[in-house]
Amino acid sequence: AQSVAQPEDQVNVAEGNPLTVKCTYSVSGNPYLFWYVQYPNRGLQFLLKYITGDNLVKGSYGFEAEFNKSQTSFHLKKPSALVSDSALYFCAVRDDRNTDKLIFGTGTRLQVFP
Amino acid sequence: DTGVSQDPRHKITKRGQNVTFRCDPISEHNRLYWYRQTLGQGPEFLTYFQNEAQLEKSRLLSDRFSAERPKGSFSTLEIQRTEQGDSAMYLCASSPVDGLYGYTFGSGTRLTVV
């Protein structure tokens, strides 16, 4: 069965510092991995994805994520956090052998302090 | 194009009543998805369509739930005989061909069953 774990309910970081939001996954086949962000009173927005190829993928708003197959992880990163990055972040996985549905993690709230 | 639209934004209903939600996807998107999100959880897959064909339905979905996309454009999600456990945010998303391109989510319909 597919599953996603986001071990941190909340991550706090000072503006200008690097940030990492953690995600680990479990699938039967090869994983397709995604990050989505949810701002207050707004819908979920797609940030980035890993399908195949380079393990470091770049996405919107300066975010990037690193796929690590041996550790079954897909951590979200940004070199320099902004206060406006404060939001709820969801990792999601899809098994390449399954049909088109995503399994989402429980979310990590990122709080960036000025 | 104004994105994915969901109507209504909020719905309060009494237990036992039927409710119907509507989703208008981005016009050129062939795939349409329904997810449900409860407080503190990530979105949970309900069902998805390729044009008018319903390709997959979650086993978690009881017979009280039904979704349609009759002309391959807008979709409706109906819940019959609502229960308090149905209270959640119901999210609709669409994608051009396959979710690998990333979903575009609507703002959701918040259902409260009293």
Side-chain angles (χ1 to χ4, degrees):
Chain A
Q2 303 169 75
S3 66
V4 175
Q6 293 183 244
E8 302 153 317
D9 289 336
Q10 181 155 329
V11 170
N12 298 317
V13 64
E15 187 174 32
N17 283 0
L19 69 88
T20 298
V21 182
K22 296 179 180 178
C23 172
T24 58
Y25 66 89
S26 175
V27 295
S28 301
N30 292 314
Y32 297 149
L33 294 153
F34 303 81
W35 277 100
Y36 283 82
V37 59
Q38 190 170 39
Y39 296 101
N41 300 316
R42 294 176 65 179
L44 284 149
Q45 295 179 29
F46 169 73
L47 268 183
L48 52 78
K49 65 183 179 185
Y50 171 82
I51 305 300
T52 187
D54 194 348
N55 289 344
L56 185 64
V57 294
K58 295 186 184 297
S60 306
Y61 312 120
F63 284 92
E64 57 190 26
E66 186 170 12
F67 170 64
N68 187 316
K69 188 173 183 178
S70 63
Q71 297 186 4
T72 62
S73 67
F74 189 58
H75 301 330
L76 182 70
K77 301 180 180 183
K78 188 173 183 181
S80 179
L82 300 172
V83 172
S84 57
D85 293 330
S86 299
L88 190 55
Y89 290 81
F90 291 96
C91 181
V93 68
R94 168 181 160 183
D95 191 320
D96 72 341
R97 301 184 306 175
N98 282 1
T99 53
D100 190 6
K101 72 178 184 184
L102 291 181
I103 304 299
F104 284 84
T106 52
T108 298
R109 185 164 301 281
L110 174 66
Q111 190 72 46
V112 181
F113 295 96
Chain B
D1 189 353
T2 57
V4 178
S5 298
Q6 293 189 245
D7 183 69
R9 293 293 302 273
H10 304 275
K11 178 70 176 179
I12 300 174
T13 190
K14 293 183 178 179
R15 189 172 47 189
Q17 297 296 305
N18 299 344
V19 294
T20 299
F21 310 140
R22 176 180 171 123
C23 172
D24 287 89
I26 293 174
S27 57
E28 62 267 28
H29 284 187
N30 294 326
R31 288 211 170 166
L32 184 148
Y33 313 81
W34 286 99
Y35 282 77
R36 177 174 64 187
Q37 187 177 18
T38 54
L39 197 62
Q41 299 297 315
E44 176 186 37
F45 172 77
L46 294 179
T47 188
Y48 81 94
F49 294 83
Q50 171 74 29
N51 297 317
E52 66 274 10
Q54 187 173 21
L55 297 187
E56 187 172 350
K57 182 177 177 180
S58 170
R59 287 173 290 177
L60 300 175
L61 221 56
S62 76
D63 291 342
R64 297 184 297 107
F65 288 72
S66 63
E68 293 182 339
R69 195 182 182 197
K71 298 182 179 179
S73 56
F74 73 91
S75 175
T76 58
L77 177 68
E78 180 183 18
I79 309 174
Q80 297 181 330
R81 305 181 302 281
T82 53
E83 302 172 356
Q84 285 190 324
D86 297 332
S87 296
M89 177 74 84
Y90 289 83
L91 300 170
C92 178
S94 68
S95 68
V97 174
D98 185 289
L100 293 180
Y101 291 87
Y103 295 173
T104 300
F105 278 91
S107 297
T109 293
R110 182 168 296 283
L111 173 66
T112 302
V113 181
V114 298

